């Protein structure tokens, strides 16, 4: 298995983080009554989020880092959705074109739906309901992705663990030690050794007499 911090596995982890955080941010924003930007803006936000997660996943992401990454991502996406989606401070307009405080307001400022507000409209503040939804999305995304992270790194540690190969042992042949007796030359003559060929000594003495 390749290194989880780089290569195809690292890119897959970054893509998974970006997709999950973006999808849960969209869901939380819609459930809290927010407006969504056009699809092109969502794709651009996803690409920016992928660039951030590609840097963050160079190491294994645990709970503290995951909460920081997902929390900042949820807040940034909420602000981007709110601004690009065209949410306005005033939801409706009276028929006479006056606000509840008696100030005139352009009739085309609020149209409802995604991208409905006119340019320059102030985005809505982060209400309690919206905050709660994004907090839930943050916790769910981190719980899901940190579990996936643990599984990936555990699998990688098992696959790249070096195999403990036993060294090849050749049979040792032990040589038997043969005692060597040193040969010492002797200067004495062994009389028990038979003489060389010739007549017996008694015959030699008779002939000499």
């Amino acid at each position: 298995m390749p290194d989880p911090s780089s290569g195809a596995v690292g890119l897959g982890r970054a893509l998974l983080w970006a997709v999950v955080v973006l999808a849960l941010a969209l869901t939380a924003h819609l459930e809290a009554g927010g407006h969504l930007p056009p699809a092109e803006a969502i794709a651009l936000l996803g690409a920016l989020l992928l660039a951030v997660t590609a840097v963050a996943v160079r190491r294994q992401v645990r709970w503290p880092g995951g909460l920081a990454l997902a929390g900042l991502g949820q807040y940034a996406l909420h602000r981007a959705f709110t601004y690009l989606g065209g949410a306005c401070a005033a939801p409706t307009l009276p028929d006479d074109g006056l606000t509840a405080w008696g100030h005139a307001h352009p009739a085309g400022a609020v149209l409802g739906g995604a991208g409905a507000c006119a340019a320059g409209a102030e985005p809505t503040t982060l209400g309690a309901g919206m905050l709660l939804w994004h907090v839930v999305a943050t916790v769910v995304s981190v719980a899901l992705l940190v579990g996936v992270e643990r599984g990936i790194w555990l699998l990688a540690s098992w696959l790249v663990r070096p195999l403990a190969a036993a060294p090849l042992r050749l049979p040792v042949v032990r040589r038997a030690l043969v005692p060597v007796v040193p040969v010492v030359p002797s200067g004495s003559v062994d009389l028990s050794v038979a003489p060389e060929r010739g007549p017996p000594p008694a015959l030699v003495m008779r002939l000499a007499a």
Side-chain angles (χ1 to χ4, degrees):
M1 181 177 183
D3 186 5
S5 62
S6 61
V9 180
L11 180 60
R13 290 171 54 231
L15 183 61
L16 180 63
W17 273 91
V19 169
V20 171
V21 172
L22 180 60
L24 291 179
L26 287 170
T27 303
H29 203 77
L30 279 177
E31 292 296 331
H35 300 282
L36 294 183
E40 295 81 3
I42 296 177
L44 178 60
L45 291 174
L48 294 176
L49 185 59
L50 178 60
V52 174
T53 56
V55 177
V57 298
R58 290 181 179 178
R59 295 182 179 181
Q60 181 180 1
V61 182
R62 304 181 186 274
W63 266 99
L67 285 175
L69 178 62
L72 291 176
Q74 290 287 330
Y75 179 76
L77 290 173
H78 161 74
R79 301 303 297 178
F81 292 161
T82 303
Y83 180 77
L84 297 175
C88 298
T92 57
L93 285 177
D95 294 337
D96 56 0
L98 298 178
T99 62
W101 294 274
H103 300 289
H105 201 287
V110 179
L111 300 177
C117 290
E122 294 293 332
T124 58
T125 58
L126 184 62
M130 182 71 73
L131 177 62
L132 179 61
W133 273 103
H134 280 291
V135 167
V136 172
T138 300
V139 174
V140 171
S141 60
V142 174
L144 174 64
L145 294 173
V146 168
V148 175
E149 288 278 306
R150 289 179 180 177
I152 292 176
W153 284 87
L154 181 61
L155 180 61
S157 66
W158 277 100
L159 292 180
V160 301
R161 178 178 297 178
L163 298 177
L168 181 60
R169 296 183 178 180
L170 298 176
V172 178
V173 179
R174 296 183 178 180
R175 296 181 179 179
L177 298 178
V178 179
V180 178
V181 179
V183 179
V184 179
S186 177
S188 60
V189 178
D190 191 0
L191 298 177
S192 62
V193 178
E196 296 181 358
R197 293 182 178 180
L203 179 61
V204 172
M205 292 178 65
R206 289 178 180 179
L207 292 176

